[in-house]
Amino acid sequence: MRSSSSRRLVFELMAAERSVHRWIAARADGSGLGAAGAGVLFYLEGNDHALVGQVTAALQARPAGMSGLLNRLAAAGLISKTRAPDDARAVRLSLTPEGREAAASARSVLAELNEHLADGFTPSELDTISRWLAHTASTLGSGD
């Protein structure tokens, strides 16, 4: 076991994240959906007619990046954007039938990925990994 001073946790975490994104992208069936787009679809499955700001906050995204992503998802026919009747500046998002199908497909891909990631680890080890990742996210917050 390496000493704590020789661990390269940040490097290893970033390398793992890039690998996960590449794995997901390779299985996106040319849709270009990706992990962030799937996150939007998953959120909208349980929060239909959500405001753009709600989706952005839930995914811990930046507004500028979210705007482009939402435009791509709308252009692909996966979500619809409508003005909120009570505030002309606010935009509400909903899944289209195609978006629901894409969410189901993405959920299947992620289930397969989770199986790969868990392979060879005990439930106790996975609990520790999960706790460490949650700790990292909560300790560092949004990074702002």
Side-chain angles (χ1 to χ4, degrees), residues 34-135:
V40 171
L41 300 184
F42 294 158
Y43 182 81
L44 290 176
E45 280 183 313
N47 300 279
D48 202 29
H49 305 297
L51 293 168
V52 169
Q54 292 171 315
V55 177
T56 302
L59 298 180
Q60 298 179 355
R62 297 199 181 273
M66 184 59 72
S67 177
L69 175 60
L70 295 176
N71 286 339
R72 289 189 301 278
L73 293 173
L78 302 177
I79 65 170
S80 62
K81 298 163 77 174
T82 56
R83 295 273 177 209
D86 53 334
D87 183 352
R89 297 170 296 168
V91 175
R92 293 201 175 271
L93 304 170
S94 297
L95 285 178
T96 63
E98 294 81 4
R100 290 194 189 286
E101 288 177 24
S105 176
R107 193 168 307 287
S108 175
V109 167
L110 292 181
E112 180 185 349
L113 176 57
N114 277 318
E115 284 183 33
H116 285 298
L117 294 175
D119 189 37
F121 291 92
T122 67
S124 177
E125 289 172 323
L126 292 170
D127 287 346
T128 300
I129 293 165
S130 182
R131 188 171 60 84
W132 182 78
L133 290 170
H135 166 78

